[in-house]
Amino acid sequence: MITVNKNIAQFEGTAKELTFELTHLLLGFKQNLIKEFGVTEEEALNVIHKCGEIAFMSNEEREEYLSNLLEERN
């Protein structure tokens, strides 16, 4: 089972179970972006792709990227 609360994630289960859940989380996230925010499927896939890129950044890169992103919103 994958449980997320803010920036803390907990993982329990086999690799197969976690892969299954992560896949369905991504599918659900894509559908939510399309339905609730009116983005196209391509735009939703680009958001998910960017999330993957951010996840693979070093801690320093990720902190800087997210700080800059939040500054742009303000």
Side-chain angles (χ1 to χ4, degrees):
M1 178 172 41
I2 301 172
T3 307
V4 180
N5 185 4
K6 298 187 186 199
N7 63 344
I8 304 295
Q10 295 181 322
F11 302 88
E12 294 180 29
T14 65
K16 183 177 180 179
E17 291 167 337
L18 292 171
T19 301
F20 182 82
E21 285 196 1
L22 178 59
T23 300
H24 283 84
L25 281 169
L26 293 171
L27 288 169
F29 181 54
K30 181 183 85 166
Q31 290 305 316
N32 186 269
L33 287 172
I34 293 168
K35 181 180 177 186
E36 298 297 326
F37 299 98
V39 302
T40 66
E41 183 172 12
E42 182 177 351
E43 290 169 326
L45 292 173
N46 286 337
V47 169
I48 292 168
H49 180 263
K50 192 62 176 179
C51 288
E53 287 181 354
I54 294 167
F56 283 95
M57 291 177 179
S58 70
N59 288 340
E60 295 81 19
E61 290 172 316
R62 185 172 41 256
E63 184 177 331
E64 181 180 346
Y65 180 84
L66 294 175
S67 290
N68 290 339
L69 188 65
L70 291 173
E71 286 176 11
E72 289 176 12
R73 286 181 43 192
N74 295 329

Coordinates of all heavy atoms in Angstrom, one line a residue:
M1 N 0.8 -1.2 0.0 CA 0.0 0.0 0.0 C 0.9 1.2 0.0 O 1.9 1.3 0.7 CB -0.9 0.0 1.2 CG -1.8 1.2 1.3 SD -3.1 1.3 2.5 CE -2.3 0.6 4.0
I2 N 0.5 2.2 -0.8 CA 1.2 3.5 -0.8 C 0.3 4.5 -0.1 O -0.8 4.7 -0.5 CB 1.5 3.9 -2.3 CG1 2.4 2.9 -3.0 CG2 2.2 5.3 -2.3 CD1 2.5 3.2 -4.5
T3 N 0.9 5.2 0.9 CA 0.2 6.2 1.6 C 1.1 7.5 1.6 O 2.3 7.4 1.9 CB 0.0 5.8 3.1 OG1 -0.6 4.5 3.1 CG2 -0.9 6.8 3.8
V4 N 0.5 8.6 1.2 CA 1.2 9.9 1.2 C 0.5 10.9 2.0 O -0.7 11.0 1.9 CB 1.3 10.4 -0.3 CG1 2.1 11.7 -0.3 CG2 1.9 9.3 -1.2
N5 N 1.2 11.6 2.8 CA 0.7 12.7 3.7 C 1.7 13.8 3.5 O 2.8 13.8 4.1 CB 0.6 12.3 5.1 CG -0.1 13.3 6.0 OD1 -0.5 14.4 5.4 ND2 -0.2 13.1 7.2
K6 N 1.3 14.8 2.7 CA 2.1 16.0 2.4 C 3.4 15.5 1.7 O 3.3 14.9 0.6 CB 2.4 16.8 3.6 CG 1.1 17.4 4.1 CD 1.4 18.4 5.2 CE 0.0 18.8 5.8 NZ -0.1 19.9 6.5
N7 N 4.6 15.6 2.3 CA 5.8 15.2 1.6 C 6.4 13.9 2.2 O 7.5 13.5 2.0 CB 6.9 16.3 1.7 CG 7.3 16.6 3.1 OD1 6.6 16.3 4.0 ND2 8.4 17.3 3.2
I8 N 5.6 13.1 2.9 CA 6.0 11.9 3.5 C 5.2 10.7 2.9 O 4.0 10.7 2.9 CB 5.8 11.8 5.1 CG1 6.5 13.0 5.8 CG2 6.2 10.5 5.6 CD1 8.0 13.0 5.7
A9 N 5.9 9.8 2.3 CA 5.3 8.6 1.7 C 5.7 7.3 2.4 O 6.9 7.2 2.8 CB 5.7 8.5 0.2
Q10 N 4.8 6.4 2.6 CA 5.0 5.1 3.2 C 4.7 4.1 2.2 O 3.6 4.2 1.5 CB 4.2 5.0 4.5 CG 4.6 5.9 5.6 CD 3.9 5.7 6.9 OE1 2.7 5.4 6.8 NE2 4.5 5.8 8.0
F11 N 5.5 3.0 2.1 CA 5.3 2.0 1.2 C 5.3 0.6 1.9 O 6.2 0.3 2.7 CB 6.4 1.9 0.1 CG 6.6 3.2 -0.6 CD1 7.4 4.3 -0.2 CD2 5.9 3.4 -1.8 CE1 7.5 5.4 -0.9 CE2 6.0 4.6 -2.5 CZ 6.8 5.6 -2.1
E12 N 4.2 -0.1 1.7 CA 4.1 -1.5 2.2 C 3.6 -2.4 1.2 O 2.7 -2.1 0.4 CB 3.1 -1.5 3.4 CG 3.6 -0.7 4.6 CD 2.6 -0.7 5.7 OE1 1.8 -1.7 5.9 OE2 2.5 0.3 6.5
G13 N 4.2 -3.6 1.1 CA 3.8 -4.6 0.1 C 4.9 -5.1 -0.8 O 6.1 -4.6 -0.6
T14 N 4.6 -5.9 -1.7 CA 5.6 -6.5 -2.6 C 5.9 -5.5 -3.7 O 5.1 -4.5 -3.9 CB 5.1 -7.8 -3.2 OG1 4.0 -7.5 -4.0 CG2 4.7 -8.8 -2.1
A15 N 7.0 -5.7 -4.4 CA 7.3 -4.9 -5.5 C 6.2 -4.9 -6.6 O 5.8 -3.8 -7.1 CB 8.6 -5.3 -6.2
K16 N 5.6 -6.0 -6.8 CA 4.5 -6.2 -7.7 C 3.3 -5.3 -7.3 O 2.7 -4.6 -8.1 CB 4.1 -7.6 -7.9 CG 3.0 -7.9 -8.9 CD 2.8 -9.4 -9.1 CE 1.7 -9.7 -10.1 NZ 1.5 -11.1 -10.2
E17 N 2.9 -5.4 -6.0 CA 1.8 -4.7 -5.5 C 2.0 -3.2 -5.5 O 1.1 -2.4 -5.9 CB 1.5 -5.1 -4.0 CG 1.0 -6.5 -3.8 CD 1.1 -7.0 -2.4 OE1 1.9 -6.5 -1.6 OE2 0.3 -7.9 -2.1
L18 N 3.3 -2.7 -5.2 CA 3.6 -1.3 -5.2 C 3.6 -0.8 -6.7 O 3.1 0.3 -6.9 CB 4.9 -1.0 -4.5 CG 4.9 -1.3 -3.0 CD1 6.3 -1.2 -2.5 CD2 4.0 -0.3 -2.3
T19 N 4.1 -1.6 -7.6 CA 4.1 -1.2 -9.0 C 2.7 -1.0 -9.5 O 2.3 -0.1 -10.2 CB 4.8 -2.2 -9.8 OG1 6.2 -2.3 -9.4 CG2 4.8 -1.8 -11.3
F20 N 1.8 -2.0 -9.1 CA 0.4 -1.9 -9.5 C -0.3 -0.6 -9.0 O -1.0 0.1 -9.7 CB -0.3 -3.2 -9.0 CG -1.8 -3.3 -9.3 CD1 -2.2 -3.8 -10.5 CD2 -2.7 -2.9 -8.4 CE1 -3.5 -3.9 -10.9 CE2 -4.1 -3.0 -8.7 CZ -4.5 -3.5 -9.9
E21 N 0.0 -0.3 -7.7 CA -0.6 0.8 -7.1 C -0.1 2.1 -7.7 O -0.9 3.1 -7.9 CB -0.4 0.8 -5.6 CG -1.3 -0.1 -4.8 CD -1.4 0.1 -3.4 OE1 -0.7 1.1 -2.8 OE2 -2.1 -0.6 -2.7
L22 N 1.2 2.2 -7.9 CA 1.8 3.4 -8.5 C 1.2 3.6 -9.9 O 0.9 4.8 -10.3 CB 3.3 3.3 -8.6 CG 4.0 4.5 -9.2 CD1 3.7 5.8 -8.4 CD2 5.5 4.3 -9.3
T23 N 1.1 2.6 -10.7 CA 0.5 2.7 -12.0 C -0.9 3.3 -11.9 O -1.3 4.2 -12.7 CB 0.5 1.3 -12.7 OG1 1.8 0.9 -12.8 CG2 -0.1 1.4 -14.1
H24 N -1.7 2.8 -11.0 CA -3.1 3.2 -10.9 C -3.2 4.7 -10.3 O -4.1 5.4 -10.7 CB -3.9 2.3 -10.1 CG -4.3 1.1 -10.9 ND1 -3.5 0.0 -11.1 CD2 -5.4 0.8 -11.7 CE1 -4.1 -0.9 -11.9 NE2 -5.2 -0.4 -12.3
L25 N -2.2 5.0 -9.5 CA -2.1 6.4 -9.0 C -1.9 7.4 -10.1 O -2.5 8.4 -10.2 CB -1.0 6.6 -7.9 CG -1.3 6.1 -6.5 CD1 0.0 6.0 -5.7 CD2 -2.3 7.0 -5.9
L26 N -1.0 7.0 -11.0 CA -0.6 7.8 -12.1 C -1.8 7.9 -13.1 O -2.1 9.0 -13.6 CB 0.6 7.3 -12.9 CG 1.9 7.4 -12.1 CD1 3.0 6.7 -12.8 CD2 2.3 8.9 -11.9
L27 N -2.5 6.8 -13.3 CA -3.7 6.8 -14.2 C -4.8 7.7 -13.6 O -5.4 8.5 -14.3 CB -4.2 5.4 -14.5 CG -3.3 4.5 -15.4 CD1 -3.8 3.1 -15.3 CD2 -3.4 5.1 -16.8
G28 N -5.0 7.6 -12.3 CA -6.0 8.4 -11.6 C -5.6 9.9 -11.6 O -6.5 10.7 -11.8
F29 N -4.4 10.2 -11.4 CA -3.9 11.6 -11.5 C -4.1 12.2 -12.8 O -4.6 13.3 -13.0 CB -2.4 11.6 -11.1 CG -1.8 13.0 -11.0 CD1 -2.4 14.0 -10.3 CD2 -0.7 13.2 -11.7 CE1 -1.8 15.2 -10.2 CE2 -0.1 14.5 -11.7 CZ -0.6 15.5 -10.9
K30 N -3.8 11.4 -13.9 CA -4.0 11.9 -15.3 C -5.5 12.2 -15.5 O -5.8 13.2 -16.0 CB -3.5 10.8 -16.3 CG -3.7 11.3 -17.7 CD -3.3 10.2 -18.7 CE -4.4 9.3 -18.9 NZ -4.3 8.3 -20.0
Q31 N -6.3 11.3 -15.1 CA -7.8 11.5 -15.3 C -8.3 12.7 -14.5 O -9.1 13.4 -15.0 CB -8.6 10.2 -15.0 CG -8.3 9.1 -16.0 CD -8.6 9.5 -17.4 OE1 -9.6 10.1 -17.7 NE2 -7.8 9.1 -18.3
N32 N -7.8 12.8 -13.3 CA -8.2 14.0 -12.5 C -7.7 15.3 -13.1 O -8.5 16.3 -13.1 CB -7.6 13.8 -11.1 CG -8.1 14.9 -10.2 OD1 -7.5 15.9 -10.0 ND2 -9.2 14.6 -9.5
L33 N -6.5 15.4 -13.6 CA -6.1 16.6 -14.3 C -7.0 16.9 -15.5 O -7.3 18.1 -15.7 CB -4.6 16.4 -14.8 CG -3.5 16.4 -13.7 CD1 -2.2 16.1 -14.4 CD2 -3.5 17.8 -13.0
I34 N -7.4 15.9 -16.2 CA -8.2 16.1 -17.4 C -9.6 16.6 -17.0 O -10.1 17.6 -17.5 CB -8.3 14.8 -18.3 CG1 -6.9 14.6 -18.9 CG2 -9.4 14.9 -19.3 CD1 -6.8 13.2 -19.5
K35 N -10.2 15.9 -16.0 CA -11.6 16.1 -15.6 C -11.7 17.4 -14.8 O -12.6 18.3 -15.1 CB -12.1 15.0 -14.8 CG -13.5 15.1 -14.3 CD -14.0 13.9 -13.6 CE -15.4 14.2 -13.0 NZ -15.8 13.1 -12.2
E36 N -10.8 17.6 -13.8 CA -11.0 18.7 -12.8 C -10.3 20.0 -13.3 O -10.7 21.1 -12.9 CB -10.4 18.3 -11.5 CG -11.1 17.1 -10.8 CD -12.6 17.4 -10.5 OE1 -13.0 18.5 -10.2 OE2 -13.4 16.4 -10.7
F37 N -9.3 19.9 -14.1 CA -8.6 21.1 -14.5 C -8.7 21.4 -16.0 O -8.1 22.4 -16.5 CB -7.1 21.0 -14.1 CG -7.0 20.9 -12.6 CD1 -6.8 19.6 -12.0 CD2 -7.1 22.0 -11.8 CE1 -6.7 19.5 -10.6 CE2 -7.0 21.9 -10.4 CZ -6.8 20.6 -9.8
G38 N -9.4 20.5 -16.7 CA -9.6 20.8 -18.1 C -8.4 20.8 -19.1 O -8.5 21.4 -20.1
V39 N -7.4 20.1 -18.7 CA -6.2 20.0 -19.5 C -6.4 18.8 -20.5 O -7.3 17.9 -20.3 CB -4.9 19.7 -18.7 CG1 -4.7 20.9 -17.7 CG2 -4.9 18.4 -18.0
T40 N -5.7 18.9 -21.6 CA -5.7 17.8 -22.6 C -5.0 16.6 -22.0 O -4.2 16.7 -21.1 CB -5.1 18.2 -23.9 OG1 -3.7 18.4 -23.7 CG2 -5.8 19.4 -24.5
E41 N -5.2 15.4 -22.7 CA -4.4 14.2 -22.3 C -2.9 14.5 -22.4 O -2.1 14.1 -21.6 CB -4.8 13.0 -23.1 CG -4.1 11.8 -22.6 CD -4.7 10.5 -23.2 OE1 -5.5 10.5 -24.2 OE2 -4.3 9.4 -22.7
E42 N -2.5 15.1 -23.5 CA -1.1 15.4 -23.8 C -0.5 16.3 -22.7 O 0.6 16.1 -22.2 CB -0.9 16.1 -25.1 CG 0.5 16.3 -25.5 CD 0.7 16.9 -26.8 OE1 -0.2 17.0 -27.6 OE2 1.9 17.3 -27.1
E43 N -1.3 17.3 -22.3 CA -0.8 18.2 -21.2 C -0.7 17.4 -19.9 O 0.2 17.6 -19.1 CB -1.8 19.4 -21.0 CG -1.8 20.4 -22.2 CD -2.9 21.4 -22.1 OE1 -4.0 21.0 -21.7 OE2 -2.7 22.5 -22.6
A44 N -1.7 16.6 -19.6 CA -1.6 15.8 -18.4 C -0.4 14.9 -18.4 O 0.3 14.7 -17.4 CB -2.9 14.9 -18.2
L45 N -0.1 14.3 -19.5 CA 1.1 13.4 -19.6 C 2.4 14.2 -19.5 O 3.3 13.7 -18.9 CB 1.1 12.6 -21.0 CG 0.0 11.6 -21.1 CD1 0.0 11.0 -22.5 CD2 0.1 10.5 -20.1
N46 N 2.4 15.4 -20.0 CA 3.5 16.3 -19.8 C 3.7 16.6 -18.3 O 4.9 16.7 -17.8 CB 3.4 17.6 -20.6 CG 3.6 17.4 -22.1 OD1 4.3 16.4 -22.5 ND2 3.1 18.2 -22.9
V47 N 2.7 16.9 -17.6 CA 2.8 17.1 -16.1 C 3.3 15.9 -15.4 O 4.3 16.0 -14.6 CB 1.4 17.5 -15.5 CG1 1.4 17.5 -14.0 CG2 0.9 18.8 -16.0
I48 N 2.8 14.7 -15.7 CA 3.3 13.5 -15.1 C 4.8 13.3 -15.5 O 5.6 12.9 -14.6 CB 2.5 12.3 -15.5 CG1 1.1 12.4 -14.9 CG2 3.1 11.0 -15.1 CD1 0.0 11.5 -15.4
H49 N 5.2 13.5 -16.7 CA 6.6 13.4 -17.1 C 7.4 14.4 -16.3 O 8.5 14.0 -15.8 CB 6.7 13.8 -18.6 CG 8.0 13.7 -19.2 ND1 8.9 14.8 -19.3 CD2 8.8 12.6 -19.6 CE1 10.0 14.4 -19.8 NE2 10.0 13.1 -20.0
K50 N 7.0 15.6 -16.1 CA 7.8 16.6 -15.3 C 7.9 16.1 -13.9 O 9.0 16.3 -13.3 CB 7.1 18.0 -15.4 CG 8.0 19.1 -14.9 CD 9.3 19.1 -15.7 CE 10.1 20.3 -15.3 NZ 11.4 20.3 -16.1
C51 N 6.9 15.5 -13.3 CA 6.9 15.0 -12.0 C 8.0 13.9 -11.9 O 8.8 13.9 -10.9 CB 5.6 14.4 -11.5 SG 4.3 15.6 -11.2
G52 N 8.1 13.1 -12.9 CA 9.2 12.1 -12.9 C 10.6 12.7 -13.0 O 11.5 12.3 -12.3
E53 N 10.7 13.8 -13.8 CA 12.0 14.5 -13.9 C 12.4 15.1 -12.5 O 13.5 15.0 -12.1 CB 11.9 15.6 -14.9 CG 11.9 15.1 -16.4 CD 11.9 16.2 -17.4 OE1 11.7 17.4 -17.0 OE2 12.0 15.9 -18.6
I54 N 11.4 15.7 -11.9 CA 11.7 16.3 -10.6 C 12.1 15.2 -9.6 O 13.0 15.4 -8.8 CB 10.4 17.1 -10.1 CG1 10.2 18.3 -11.0 CG2 10.6 17.6 -8.7 CD1 8.8 19.0 -10.9
A55 N 11.4 14.1 -9.6 CA 11.7 13.0 -8.6 C 13.1 12.5 -8.8 O 13.7 12.0 -7.8 CB 10.7 11.9 -8.8
F56 N 13.7 12.6 -10.0 CA 15.0 12.1 -10.2 C 16.1 13.1 -10.1 O 17.3 12.9 -10.3 CB 15.1 11.4 -11.5 CG 14.5 10.0 -11.5 CD1 13.2 9.8 -11.9 CD2 15.2 8.9 -11.0 CE1 12.6 8.6 -11.8 CE2 14.7 7.7 -11.0 CZ 13.4 7.5 -11.4
M57 N 15.7 14.4 -9.7 CA 16.7 15.4 -9.5 C 17.4 15.1 -8.1 O 16.9 14.5 -7.2 CB 16.0 16.8 -9.4 CG 15.5 17.3 -10.6 SD 14.6 18.9 -10.3 CE 14.1 19.3 -12.0
S58 N 18.6 15.7 -8.0 CA 19.3 15.6 -6.7 C 18.4 16.5 -5.7 O 17.6 17.3 -6.1 CB 20.7 16.2 -6.7 OG 20.7 17.6 -6.9
N59 N 18.7 16.3 -4.4 CA 17.9 17.0 -3.4 C 18.1 18.5 -3.6 O 17.1 19.3 -3.5 CB 18.4 16.6 -2.0 CG 17.9 15.3 -1.6 OD1 16.9 14.7 -2.2 ND2 18.5 14.7 -0.6
E60 N 19.3 18.9 -3.9 CA 19.6 20.4 -4.1 C 18.9 20.9 -5.4 O 18.3 22.0 -5.3 CB 21.1 20.6 -4.2 CG 21.9 20.3 -3.0 CD 22.2 18.8 -2.8 OE1 22.1 18.0 -3.8 OE2 22.5 18.4 -1.7
E61 N 19.0 20.1 -6.5 CA 18.3 20.6 -7.7 C 16.8 20.7 -7.5 O 16.1 21.6 -7.9 CB 18.5 19.6 -8.8 CG 19.9 19.6 -9.3 CD 20.2 18.4 -10.3 OE1 19.7 17.3 -10.1 OE2 20.8 18.7 -11.4
R62 N 16.2 19.7 -6.8 CA 14.8 19.6 -6.6 C 14.3 20.8 -5.7 O 13.4 21.5 -6.0 CB 14.3 18.3 -5.9 CG 12.8 18.2 -5.8 CD 12.4 16.8 -5.4 NE 13.3 16.1 -4.4 CZ 14.2 15.2 -4.6 NH1 14.4 14.7 -5.8 NH2 14.9 14.7 -3.6
E63 N 15.1 21.1 -4.6 CA 14.8 22.2 -3.7 C 14.8 23.5 -4.5 O 13.9 24.3 -4.4 CB 15.7 22.2 -2.6 CG 15.4 23.3 -1.5 CD 16.4 23.2 -0.3 OE1 16.9 22.1 0.0 OE2 16.6 24.3 0.3
E64 N 15.8 23.7 -5.3 CA 15.9 25.0 -6.1 C 14.8 25.1 -7.1 O 14.2 26.1 -7.2 CB 17.3 25.0 -6.8 CG 17.5 26.3 -7.6 CD 18.8 26.3 -8.3 OE1 19.7 25.5 -8.0 OE2 19.0 27.2 -9.2
Y65 N 14.5 24.0 -7.8 CA 13.5 24.0 -8.8 C 12.1 24.3 -8.2 O 11.4 25.2 -8.7 CB 13.4 22.6 -9.5 CG 12.3 22.6 -10.6 CD1 12.6 23.1 -11.9 CD2 11.1 22.1 -10.3 CE1 11.6 23.1 -12.8 CE2 10.1 22.1 -11.3 CZ 10.3 22.6 -12.5 OH 9.4 22.6 -13.5
L66 N 11.8 23.6 -7.1 CA 10.5 23.8 -6.5 C 10.4 25.2 -5.9 O 9.3 25.9 -5.9 CB 10.2 22.7 -5.5 CG 10.0 21.3 -6.1 CD1 9.9 20.3 -5.0 CD2 8.9 21.3 -7.0
S67 N 11.5 25.7 -5.3 CA 11.5 27.1 -4.7 C 11.2 28.1 -5.8 O 10.4 29.0 -5.7 CB 12.8 27.4 -4.1 OG 12.9 26.6 -2.9
N68 N 11.9 27.9 -7.0 CA 11.7 28.8 -8.1 C 10.2 28.7 -8.6 O 9.6 29.8 -9.0 CB 12.7 28.5 -9.2 CG 14.1 28.9 -8.9 OD1 14.3 29.8 -8.0 ND2 15.0 28.3 -9.5
L69 N 9.7 27.6 -8.7 CA 8.3 27.3 -9.1 C 7.3 28.1 -8.2 O 6.4 28.7 -8.7 CB 8.0 25.9 -9.2 CG 6.7 25.4 -9.9 CD1 6.7 25.8 -11.3 CD2 6.5 23.9 -9.7
L70 N 7.5 27.9 -6.9 CA 6.6 28.6 -6.0 C 6.8 30.1 -6.0 O 5.8 30.8 -5.9 CB 6.9 28.1 -4.6 CG 6.5 26.6 -4.3 CD1 6.9 26.2 -2.9 CD2 5.0 26.5 -4.5
E71 N 8.0 30.6 -6.3 CA 8.2 32.1 -6.4 C 7.5 32.6 -7.6 O 6.9 33.7 -7.6 CB 9.7 32.4 -6.5 CG 10.4 32.2 -5.2 CD 11.9 32.5 -5.3 OE1 12.4 32.9 -6.4 OE2 12.6 32.2 -4.3
E72 N 7.4 31.8 -8.7 CA 6.8 32.3 -9.9 C 5.3 32.4 -9.7 O 4.6 33.2 -10.3 CB 7.0 31.3 -11.1 CG 8.4 31.3 -11.6 CD 8.6 30.2 -12.6 OE1 7.7 29.6 -13.1 OE2 9.8 30.0 -13.0
R73 N 4.7 31.6 -8.8 CA 3.3 31.6 -8.5 C 2.9 32.9 -7.8 O 1.8 33.3 -7.8 CB 2.8 30.4 -7.7 CG 2.8 29.2 -8.6 CD 2.3 27.9 -7.9 NE 1.2 28.2 -7.0 CZ 0.8 27.4 -6.1 NH1 1.4 26.2 -5.9 NH2 -0.2 27.7 -5.3
N74 N 3.8 33.4 -7.0 CA 3.5 34.6 -6.1 C 3.7 35.9 -6.8 O 3.9 36.3 -7.7 CB 4.4 34.6 -4.9 CG 4.0 33.4 -4.0 OD1 2.9 32.9 -4.0 ND2 5.0 32.9 -3.3

